[in-house]
């Protein structure tokens, strides 16, 4: 055990030293490629390099990504937007493959009557509810409905204008012939609502069951975020889905505390098989784009082995 902790300590020291050197030499990148007042095009990227230790260690940068965002004003009430984002592994050098995943690729319209989005994007359920527990750089985020659950492909969504803090959301995802149980094309529908008043944010959402499209039961979720003080935010996630495990519920609590030069964050929850899990992490921010982090998580629903992660992230 002492030898294991000594090895982990050496690994942490090595990564933090490398991260310090990178932060010292990495230039700050411009993000706006074009802006004429009506049309704006931004280039953005997220570079990850991390060491993950479970039963065996590995270095990965698979959550690295690069993308383009653009928006254009049509008139005083209408604007159009688009996004194309791709994921790659910054730690590898595969000559035959640069990008290994299309993350978010969509187009849309925004006006005083709401926003319409078409394409590949995170589900309304994730945006309304489960995102509150997505606070870790690596492992630790647990939810019955995540960004790719009935989302991130062949989708159309509408969000209403905000009215006294309340917004309504609906989404439909299309499943073509051959991708369903019946062999016929099908749709999965979901709806949600978000409400914000001062320092309290609430969300509720449901993904409606469609057996032909592979969802046997309806998933319902609720989330809450409350900023206790400027430096401390607490979160709650409760989900219900019939016959998903020994019980029908998943519940989790989380918090983020800003200590000035970075954040401390943690979560604890119980999965539908009545197994308790927890995760915790800390980061240090050298600048707005550059941070180093260390994380630990424990629980069968996350990984049979404890997961220890150290690494750095650079955004521009």
């Amino acid at each position: 055990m002492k030898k294991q902790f000594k090895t982990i300590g050496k690994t942490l020291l090595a990564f933090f030293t490398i991260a310090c050197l990178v932060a010292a030499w990495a230039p700050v990148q411009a993000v706006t490629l074009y802006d004429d007042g009506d049309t704006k095009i931004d280039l953005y990227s997220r570079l990850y390099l991390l060491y993950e230790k479970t039963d065996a260690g590995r270095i990965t940068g698979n959550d690295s990504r690069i993308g383009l965002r653009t928006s254009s004003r049509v008139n005083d009430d209408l604007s159009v937007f688009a996004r194309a984002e791709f994921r790659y592994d910054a730690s590898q050098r595969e000559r035959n493959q640069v990008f290994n995943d299309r993350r978010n690729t969509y187009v849309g319209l925004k006006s005083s009557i709401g926003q319409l989005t078409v394409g590949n994007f995170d589900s309304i359920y994730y945006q309304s509810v489960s995102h509150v527990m997505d606070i870790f750089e690596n492992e630790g985020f647990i939810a019955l409905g995540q960004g790719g659950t009935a989302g991130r492909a062949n989708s159309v969504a509408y969000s209403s204008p905000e009215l006294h803090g309340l917004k309504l959301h609906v989404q439909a995802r299309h499943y073509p012939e051959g991708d369903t149980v019946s062999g016929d094309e099908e749709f999965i529908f979901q709806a949600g609502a978000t409400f914000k008043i001062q320092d309290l944010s609430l969300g509720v959402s449901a993904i409606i069951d469609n057996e032909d499209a592979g969802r046997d039961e309806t998933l319902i979720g609720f989330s809450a975020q409350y900023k206790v003080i400027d430096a401390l935010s607490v979160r709650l996630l409760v989900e219900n889905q019939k016959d998903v495990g020994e019980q029908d519920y998943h519940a989790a609590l989380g918090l983020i505390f800003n200590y000035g030069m970075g954040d401390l964050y943690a979560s604890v929850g119980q999965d539908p098989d009545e197994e308790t899990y927890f995760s915790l992490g800390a980061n240090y921010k050298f600048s707005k784009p550059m941070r180093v982090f260390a994380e630990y998580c424990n629980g069968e629903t996350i990984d049979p082995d404890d997961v220890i992660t150290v690494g750095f992230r650079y955004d521009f």
Side-chain angles (χ1 to χ4, degrees):
M1 182 64 70
K2 288 183 179 179
K3 184 177 180 181
Q4 182 180 6
F5 278 104
K6 187 176 180 181
T7 301
I8 293 170
K10 288 181 178 179
T11 304
L12 282 166
L13 179 61
F15 266 80
F16 274 75
T17 301
I18 292 170
C20 289
L21 291 173
V22 172
W25 288 100
V28 176
Q29 301 292 327
V31 295
T32 300
L33 301 180
Y34 178 80
D35 188 354
D36 66 358
D38 289 332
T39 299
K40 185 177 182 181
I41 302 174
D42 290 335
L43 170 69
Y44 67 94
S45 182
R46 177 189 300 177
L47 176 65
Y48 270 109
L49 280 176
L50 60 89
Y51 175 80
E52 178 186 89
K53 174 67 176 176
T54 53
D55 59 335
R58 70 179 184 126
I59 294 176
T60 181
N62 195 45
D63 280 333
S64 301
R65 60 197 65 175
I66 189 168
L68 287 169
R69 283 189 295 254
T70 180
S71 62
S72 182
R73 187 175 69 91
V74 178
N75 54 48
D76 290 341
D77 186 55
L78 177 65
S79 62
V80 296
F81 58 88
R83 180 176 178 179
E85 180 181 288
F86 306 91
R87 184 163 65 182
Y88 63 97
D89 190 337
S91 69
Q92 301 298 322
R93 190 186 182 194
E94 294 290 341
R95 293 182 180 275
N96 296 327
Q97 182 182 22
V98 178
F99 301 114
N100 55 33
D101 188 21
R102 292 179 298 278
R103 288 285 300 172
N104 291 286
T105 49
Y106 54 78
V107 297
L109 305 169
K110 187 175 183 179
S111 73
S112 59
I113 62 173
Q115 177 174 303
L116 182 70
T117 307
V118 181
N120 160 28
F121 49 87
D122 290 332
S123 67
I124 287 297
Y125 184 95
Y126 172 84
Q127 296 182 57
S128 302
V129 174
S130 62
H131 75 279
V132 300
M133 301 308 297
D134 192 4
I135 58 179
F136 301 94
E137 303 289 358
N138 190 28
E139 299 291 347
F141 171 47
I142 301 297
L144 298 180
Q146 301 189 9
T149 306
R152 288 199 190 138
N154 305 327
S155 296
V156 56
Y158 166 78
S159 294
S160 73
E162 185 174 306
L163 179 62
H164 303 296
L166 176 67
K167 294 184 71 173
L168 304 177
H169 316 273
V170 292
Q171 178 182 336
R173 177 178 173 181
H174 175 257
Y175 289 79
E177 295 180 6
D179 288 350
T180 60
V181 176
S182 64
D184 300 325
E185 67 174 353
E186 296 287 346
F187 289 89
I188 284 186
F189 297 95
Q190 54 187 294
T194 52
F195 179 71
K196 185 173 183 179
I197 178 170
Q198 296 181 350
D199 295 326
L200 176 65
S201 298
L202 303 174
V204 62
S205 186
I207 302 177
I208 310 303
D209 68 287
N210 183 329
E211 293 183 0
D212 280 342
R215 295 201 63 84
D216 296 331
E217 301 292 345
T218 294
L219 171 63
I220 301 173
F222 168 80
S223 69
Q225 292 185 74
Y226 182 66
K227 186 165 68 174
V228 182
I229 56 176
D230 287 342
L232 178 63
S233 167
V234 294
R235 289 109 186 279
L236 168 69
L237 171 65
V238 179
E239 300 176 288
N240 172 258
Q241 185 175 351
K242 186 180 178 182
D243 298 330
V244 70
E246 295 182 12
Q247 61 179 0
D248 298 337
Y249 290 90
H250 165 242
L253 287 169
L255 63 85
I256 298 178
F257 176 74
N258 183 281
Y259 62 88
M261 295 300 294
D263 302 304
L264 306 174
Y265 44 96
S267 69
V268 61
Q270 186 177 71
D271 68 22
D273 291 322
E274 300 182 334
E275 295 284 346
T276 301
Y277 65 89
F278 70 90
S279 306
L280 53 90
N283 61 44
Y284 179 83
K285 299 177 181 179
F286 292 94
S287 61
K288 186 176 180 179
M290 173 67 180
R291 74 185 72 165
V292 293
F293 57 87
E295 298 176 345
Y296 170 81
C297 53
N298 172 281
E300 288 290 326
T301 191
I302 298 174
D303 195 284
D305 299 292
D306 296 351
V307 183
I308 299 171
T309 305
V310 293
F312 70 79
R313 168 177 164 175
Y314 193 99
D315 294 272
F316 70 85

